[in-house]
Amino acid sequence: PGETHLQAAVRGLREELQIEGNFALIPAEKNIRVEESPTFAGLRTRYEDQKFTAILNALQYRINGYEEVRAGKRNVFQWELAPLAESV
């Protein structure tokens, strides 16, 4: 709460994936939807999803993904490759 989509993406890359140094994030697709809460009947919830294209250097990019272990819980993060932009 209180942070922009871009700030949240930067924090996620730094904290969850331990990516250090400079990188670029280019805003891509954004989705906003409102739907009824699955746990609180009658409560409408607004969801905002913002995708970014991340530009990393060769040392920051791990082809096999990133692993985070906290409190005995293991999470593995994999990249979703974006299609290449056409040259103009």
Side-chain angles (χ1 to χ4, degrees), residues 8-26:
V10 168
R11 181 177 50 79
L13 289 174
R14 296 208 186 282
E15 292 179 10
E16 307 297 331
L17 305 185
Q18 303 298 307
I19 293 177
E20 298 177 356
N22 294 327
F23 51 82
L25 290 173
I26 301 166

Side-chain angles (χ1 to χ4, degrees), residues 57-82:
N57 68 40
L59 296 175
Q60 294 167 321
Y61 178 74
R62 295 186 204 149
I63 195 165
N64 295 322
Y66 302 78
E67 186 174 313
E68 173 196 42
V69 179
R70 275 193 206 174
K73 183 178 176 184
R74 179 178 172 257
N75 292 307
V76 177
F77 300 93
Q78 293 287 124
W79 290 109
E80 178 181 309
L81 296 178

Side-chain angles (χ1 to χ4, degrees), residues 31-49:
N31 266 328
I32 299 173
R33 68 187 191 286
V34 178
E35 54 189 61
E36 189 162 329
S37 169
T39 52
F40 298 100
L43 180 65
R44 308 262 314 147
T45 304
R46 176 185 166 112
Y47 297 94
E48 290 190 23
D49 301 321

